[in-house]
Amino acid sequence: MDEKDILWGLTDSNTMEEVREKAFALIGKIRFMPAATVNEGRPENRILDFNRLSDGNLYFMTSRGKPTYEQLCKRPQLVMNTLIDERYSLRLSAWVSETTDQAVWGEFFKLNPGTKEMYRKNFDIVALYRIDRGEGEIFHLYANERIRRLRFAFGGEEIRPMTYRITEECVGCGICQENCVERAIHQKDDGKYYIKEMDCDDCGICYTKCPQADTALICRLKEQGET
């Protein structure tokens, strides 16, 4: 497979804005995606129709009479994940806000005349939302089960960190590199190693093999007490 064909040619040399732009373009093309909200501490999932309008933002609507609306009022957050072309995937965790901008409403329903017709008996029940800020990832499982992933954030949010990282306590033994199935671990000029996140499966094999685990190679989940 050509390098240009892997993850649509994106690499870690691309800016975060370029990665976000690709993700938004994909969502705008796919449109119908599973999206989860929180209901009393439990996730609930449904399919929403995401439209990318001329301002570059993503919008979706729901009825004020639906549980989705009630849940978004309490916690205006969506988590989305979908498969693209069999071996690509896209994940997004985003905060949303309801919009009353009439220009946005006009453009949205020009693209969705059927939806407008559906709610013609009581159009006031419609709620239109914009995705404001969040973080996500695009992922590609390509030839020979190799991976490439790029994470991004927008609207002031931070990128979700990878689970494993090599610290300055690394002694340069190379055991992590020997056991990395994705060849994502590389040696620096000073002899220490680092993880190239773009190629990392985040599986943790390196952590289980490192003789200096928890000092030279750190598991973020253990640091945060999530294990």
Side-chain angles (χ1 to χ4, degrees):
M1 176 175 285
D2 257 271
E3 185 75 12
K4 63 181 176 61
D5 297 323
I6 301 170
L7 205 65
W8 301 284
L10 293 171
T11 71
D12 51 10
S13 64
N14 287 97
T15 65
M16 194 184 307
E17 174 59 25
E18 289 171 331
V19 180
R20 184 208 64 83
E21 170 62 28
K22 181 62 180 180
F24 272 35
L26 287 167
I27 294 172
K29 182 179 179 181
I30 298 165
R31 288 188 52 170
F32 296 93
M33 288 180 58
T37 52
V38 177
N39 178 26
E40 304 297 335
R42 299 187 303 273
E44 288 196 0
N45 201 27
R46 80 278 297 146
I47 301 292
L48 293 175
D49 179 9
F50 296 92
N51 290 248
R52 193 173 191 204
L53 302 189
S54 58
D55 62 5
N57 291 310
L58 292 166
Y59 295 86
F60 67 96
M61 59 78 56
T62 190
S63 166
R64 299 178 192 278
K66 291 185 177 183
T68 303
Y69 179 76
E70 181 182 358
Q71 291 160 21
L72 288 174
C73 286
K74 293 179 180 178
R75 184 180 179 87
Q77 186 181 23
L78 290 177
V79 177
M80 305 142 58
N81 202 328
T82 193
L83 191 66
I84 308 167
D85 297 333
E86 187 179 356
R87 289 197 164 235
Y88 294 83
S89 66
L90 189 157
R91 174 187 62 77
L92 183 66
S93 176
W95 295 90
V96 305
S97 64
E98 193 173 347
T99 180
T100 58
D101 188 317
Q102 291 305 301
V104 170
W105 276 69
E107 184 178 355
F108 182 90
F109 287 105
K110 187 176 181 180
L111 295 173
N112 297 276
T115 301
K116 188 173 184 179
E117 176 69 12
M118 182 190 305
Y119 288 95
R120 68 189 183 280
K121 297 291 187 179
N122 183 6
F123 206 62
D124 289 339
I125 205 170
V126 174
L128 185 60
Y129 284 91
R130 179 184 64 233
I131 290 180
D132 290 328
R133 56 189 174 89
E135 59 82 25
E137 176 181 77
I138 53 177
F139 184 97
H140 185 186
L141 180 64
Y142 61 99
N144 301 317
E145 305 304 305
R146 296 294 304 283
I147 71 158
R148 177 161 290 168
R149 70 190 329 147
L150 289 172
R151 294 183 172 182
F152 63 94
F154 59 97
E157 293 294 297
E158 296 184 354
I159 295 175
R160 182 184 301 184
M162 300 292 284
T163 306
Y164 303 94
R165 75 177 193 277
I166 299 174
T167 73
E168 285 302 309
E169 300 297 320
C170 172
V171 298
C173 69
I175 292 175
C176 58
Q177 185 188 57
E178 292 171 7
N179 286 279
C180 178
V181 295
E182 293 293 338
R183 303 195 291 277
I185 299 179
H186 304 270
Q187 193 170 30
K188 299 186 289 187
D189 291 340
D190 63 3
K192 299 179 187 295
Y193 287 82
Y194 71 97
I195 299 172
K196 191 172 184 180
E197 294 183 354
M198 179 180 71
D199 299 318
C200 177
D201 190 37
D202 218 20
C203 65
I205 291 175
C206 59
Y207 178 76
T208 67
K209 299 293 184 178
C210 177
Q212 304 295 325
D214 296 326
T215 55
L217 211 160
I218 300 295
C219 173
R220 175 174 58 86
L221 302 182
K222 288 191 68 173
E223 280 188 312
Q224 297 176 350
E226 297 180 20
T227 57

